[in-house]
Amino acid sequence: MLEELNIKDFALIENDFLEFNRGFTVLSGETGAGKSILIGALSFLLGGKAETSQIRAGKNEASVSGTFVLPQNQTVRQLAEDEEPANALEWLDQHGIQIENNRVLLRRFIRDTGKSGAWINDTPVTRGDLAAFSAFLVDIHGQHEHQSLMKVPEHRKFLDSRAGIVSEVEEFTKKYAMLVSLRRQLEQYSLSESERLRKLDMSTFAVQEINEAKLKKEEDVQLEEEETRLLSYEKLYSGVDEIGKMLDDGEGSVIDLLKKIRRASSGITDFDKEVRALDERLESSFYELSDIAAEYSSYQSKLVFDPARLAQVQERLSLIYNLKKKYASSVNAPLSEVFDYCAQAQQFIDENAEGAGAKDKLTAQIKELEKEILLRADSITKKRKACADQLSLEVDQILSKLGMKGTHFGVSLVEKEGSDVAQKCGPYGKDNIEFLISANPGNPLLPLAKIASGGELSRVMLALKTIFAQNDSVETLIFDEIDTGIGGEVAVAVGSHMKNLAKNRQIFCITHLASIAVYADNQIKIEKAVSGGITSSNVHIVQGEERVAEIARMLSGDADTEQSLDHARAMLQKYSGGF
């Protein structure tokens, strides 16, 4: 849930701080007042595009920050290396970001130089990371980027969630990954026998040669540093000797001078506290430099030119150079590449040493797993089809109430092409899934992305979100332009749906319609003002009589007549239980 939002010098907004509650919140204001700017600022915070044109005129930086309260019922699983997090807490845990009081602070800025930055709590993140994380927090529907239902891969996730088969599909994915791994192993056996034996000999030789070298981690780096030190013995010795003489070699040395300075300083410390403090710093400097001089002396005593050791180091480096030349991408590559090559060669040996017997065993294992996967895929498809039919009916019923009578929603489940498991199945089953829509009776079903207007799109999203609310982990939903082309009873139905959806979610909606606004638990007004020749958008929460006046303005364009005010009071009393 979005708890606080702070916007500074973003577009027409100079400096606004807002606190939000759960439930249904509408954003209202006259045309051109800057309602979409508020959503734009939030979109920017959530990882949207950062452009210098977003900076307020006359300023050099725009910034937006927001505090979010995370759901308390979320759990954190131990994720595998390539496993995607399922909620905000898992994402934070995966990226090592700590939170307090179940809250997280997002911050982002853009400067007129084009430089931008973003943070999650105190951790700097990329725009991509910010967008990936915020997708667990907020969904923005309308003419903005956070439209998860417009992404075809997400359709499968929504349908599986609605069908209650998420864990079943996850288990299928594990089985499929196992099959892919076994097939890769089998590919090695597809080599001709002579090629297999040749590669086996090469791998055996490589493993033996690398193991006999008894390499240590980052040994090459350490040896190169030692070689540099041995080759530079004369320069090192003369330099250290010169430093030692300057530091502590009798009269005129740095330490000798410091002794004299300390004697002079100690004679005046009783006269002024400030001098006493300086004397203490002198004493500290004296002991520090004396310690440095002693360490230089100790270092000099250990400096020995050892031609035999130099020869050993260079011989060892030559061995490592030859191993890198054979088994790494280049002689300058990290030594870890040699270790990786050895591990891969050993794996090939382990998988191919047994020959034809192991190949037959692996082939039988694959066939058995293919049968199991096809049975699982058929079961998943059957459940998806049953859910898809029910989902189409539910969405159609809601769309009819939202002013889209005659609109038909459908779910396309097309079986992947092919004649065997390799082609017919993917990691999530054998279905290509996509949501479709027909906006008018008699028109064919088309992909959801083909919907023309933002208003139609938002109402489809509202219908789907109403249905998916119990399965969707995103707590904050924002609807922009949901009232385009509607009014009367349809607007009342939209407001009612928003109210119901907000029972378990935080809902924001930009609207021009009083019929929707009166259902809201909270109302925010955006006003445009001009001061000193500079235009600003001011954002504030309206309550009491101020909200009555705003509803009256939305009803008739006139917030001053008693008739409009009475009408507004009556609507607020009827649909939101007061004001």
Side-chain angles (χ1 to χ4, degrees):
M1 182 194 86
L2 177 60
E3 186 175 54
E4 296 176 349
L5 186 66
N6 193 4
I7 306 171
K8 184 174 176 58
D9 295 327
F10 187 93
L12 295 179
I13 299 176
E14 182 177 8
N15 195 350
D16 276 316
F17 174 78
L18 293 167
E19 294 181 286
F20 302 102
N21 299 311
R22 290 188 178 276
F24 180 23
T25 299
V26 296
L27 311 176
S28 63
E30 294 182 358
T31 301
K35 296 183 293 298
S36 293
I37 293 175
L38 184 60
I39 302 301
L42 185 56
S43 181
F44 168 78
L45 175 64
L46 299 174
K49 289 183 179 180
E51 300 174 341
T52 55
S53 59
Q54 294 166 325
I55 302 172
R56 180 172 164 79
K59 302 295 181 179
N60 56 24
E61 178 180 303
S63 64
V64 183
S65 64
T67 302
F68 291 83
V69 181
L70 303 183
Q72 294 185 354
N73 60 349
Q74 289 185 356
T75 58
V76 179
R77 301 167 297 151
Q78 190 65 38
L79 301 178
E81 186 175 344
D82 58 346
E83 190 174 2
E84 294 293 329
N87 58 49
L89 285 178
E90 285 188 354
W91 193 98
L92 293 170
D93 182 67
Q94 187 182 62
H95 291 77
I97 300 176
Q98 302 295 321
I99 62 172
E100 292 183 8
N101 300 321
N102 227 43
R103 284 168 169 76
V104 64
L105 173 65
L106 306 187
R107 292 180 291 142
R108 197 173 183 208
F109 75 85
I110 173 71
R111 293 185 183 139
D112 55 6
T113 59
K115 178 179 174 59
S116 65
W119 291 264
I120 299 177
N121 285 346
D122 293 327
T123 302
V125 295
T126 65
R127 175 192 170 193
D129 283 341
L130 186 63
F133 173 67
S134 64
F136 293 112
L137 306 177
V138 180
D139 236 338
I140 300 180
H141 299 295
Q143 296 181 344
H144 297 277
E145 298 175 352
H146 283 232
Q147 300 177 3
S148 60
L149 289 172
M150 293 296 288
K151 301 171 184 175
V152 174
E154 296 294 309
H155 297 179
R156 193 270 309 168
K157 296 180 183 178
F158 278 109
L159 184 62
D160 288 350
S161 178
R162 180 64 175 165
I165 58 172
V166 172
S167 59
E168 186 177 346
V169 174
E170 287 176 349
E171 188 61 30
F172 177 90
T173 302
K174 292 177 183 176
K175 293 286 184 181
Y176 186 83
M178 186 186 303
L179 178 63
V180 171
S181 176
L182 291 176
R183 280 178 171 155
R184 286 175 181 166
Q185 293 179 36
L186 186 62
E187 286 177 2
Q188 301 296 333
Y189 289 103
S190 299
L191 299 171
S192 65
E193 185 63 15
S194 60
E195 176 65 16
R196 184 183 69 81
L197 291 174
R198 186 188 70 81
K199 191 170 181 180
L200 197 59
D201 285 342
M202 289 176 59
S203 298
T204 302
F205 178 83
V207 169
Q208 183 178 351
E209 184 177 27
I210 295 170
N211 286 339
E212 286 178 352
K214 296 181 179 179
L215 301 171
K216 298 176 183 177
K217 186 179 179 181
E218 296 187 352
E219 182 182 359
D220 54 338
V221 176
Q222 296 168 5
L223 288 172
E224 286 169 356
E225 291 176 354
E226 186 176 359
E227 181 187 36
T228 300
R229 187 165 61 251
L230 289 167
L231 289 172
S232 306
Y233 167 78
E234 291 184 5
K235 290 182 179 179
L236 269 173
Y237 189 90
S238 61
V240 171
D241 185 60
E242 184 179 1
I243 291 169
K245 289 176 180 178
M246 288 189 289
L247 281 173
D248 190 15
D249 190 18
E251 189 174 351
S253 67
V254 172
I255 291 175
D256 182 62
L257 287 172
L258 272 175
K259 287 178 181 178
K260 294 176 181 178
I261 295 170
R262 284 195 63 218
R263 284 197 295 269
S265 175
S266 62
I268 60 173
T269 55
D270 293 336
F271 307 125
D272 193 328
K273 289 182 180 180
E274 186 174 348
V275 175
R276 193 178 306 158
L278 292 171
D279 182 66
E280 289 173 357
R281 291 171 62 186
L282 273 174
E283 182 178 15
S284 176
S285 298
F286 172 76
Y287 287 124
E288 176 67 13
L289 280 171
S290 295
D291 185 60
I292 292 172
E295 289 194 23
Y296 265 115
S297 178
S298 175
Y299 177 83
Q300 185 179 21
S301 67
K302 295 175 185 176
L303 272 176
V304 177
F305 178 64
D306 187 348
R309 177 56 187 166
L310 177 60
Q312 289 176 355
V313 169
Q314 291 178 331
E315 183 180 357
R316 186 68 176 169
L317 282 172
S318 177
L319 171 64
I320 292 173
Y321 175 90
N322 289 328
L323 290 174
K324 284 186 178 181
K325 193 173 181 181
K326 287 183 179 179
Y327 307 120
S329 58
S330 73
V331 294
N332 296 317
L335 194 55
S336 60
E337 289 191 13
V338 177
F339 291 120
D340 292 341
Y341 187 95
C342 184
Q344 292 167 8
Q346 185 61 57
Q347 183 179 352
F348 181 85
I349 294 168
D350 295 341
E351 294 173 355
N352 288 269
E354 294 183 27
K359 179 180 180 181
D360 293 341
K361 183 179 178 181
L362 189 58
T363 300
Q365 190 178 354
I366 288 172
K367 286 183 177 179
E368 193 65 30
L369 188 55
E370 284 177 344
K371 291 178 182 178
E372 181 184 354
I373 284 175
L374 277 176
L375 286 173
R376 286 175 177 265
D378 288 340
S379 173
I380 289 171
T381 296
K382 185 177 179 181
K383 292 172 183 176
R384 283 173 174 165
K385 285 181 177 178
C387 179
D389 292 339
Q390 183 62 32
L391 181 62
S392 295
L393 290 174
E394 291 175 350
V395 173
D396 285 354
Q397 288 172 1
I398 296 174
L399 290 179
S400 179
K401 295 176 183 178
L402 298 180
M404 296 177 69
K405 190 173 183 179
T407 298
H408 179 52
F409 176 86
V411 181
S412 169
L413 276 87
V414 179
E415 188 173 305
K416 297 178 186 293
E417 296 181 358
S419 57
D420 58 19
V421 179
Q423 292 174 303
K424 288 179 73 172
C425 287
Y428 309 108
K430 61 179 184 179
D431 310 306
N432 290 321
I433 300 167
E434 186 172 7
F435 291 166
L436 308 175
I437 199 82
S438 170
N440 297 293
N443 286 358
L445 288 165
L446 295 173
L448 201 61
K450 300 291 185 181
I451 294 177
S453 74
E456 287 177 322
L457 175 59
S458 291
R459 277 177 279 164
V460 171
M461 297 304 176
L462 176 58
L464 288 168
K465 281 297 179 182
T466 301
I467 296 167
F468 288 132
Q470 59 187 359
N471 303 111
D472 194 352
S473 63
V474 177
E475 281 208 328
T476 300
L477 309 178
I478 299 174
F479 293 90
D480 189 4
E481 292 191 349
I482 201 164
D483 57 5
T484 301
I486 66 171
E489 292 181 1
V490 174
V492 172
V494 169
S496 178
H497 267 87
M498 288 282 193
K499 185 80 169 180
N500 288 332
L501 191 57
K503 290 178 180 178
N504 299 305
R505 292 289 185 276
Q506 183 186 44
I507 306 296
F508 290 91
C509 174
I510 291 180
T511 185
H512 298 275
L513 299 179
S515 302
I516 293 176
V518 291
Y519 276 97
D521 303 302
N522 318 286
Q523 186 163 350
I524 294 173
K525 183 179 180 181
I526 297 93
E527 295 179 296
K528 185 182 287 187
V530 179
S531 177
I534 299 176
T535 303
S536 298
S537 284
N538 301 314
V539 184
H540 66 282
I541 295 172
V542 289
Q543 296 174 320
E545 287 301 317
E546 187 178 4
R547 186 179 182 193
V548 171
E550 174 62 6
I551 295 296
R553 182 198 64 77
M554 297 173 74
L555 282 167
S556 62
D558 187 355
D560 296 326
T561 66
E562 196 60 36
Q563 184 179 4
S564 296
L565 293 171
D566 287 343
H567 189 188
R569 288 191 190 94
M571 290 184 70
L572 286 167
Q573 189 66 44
K574 180 178 179 181
Y575 295 113
S576 62
F579 49 90

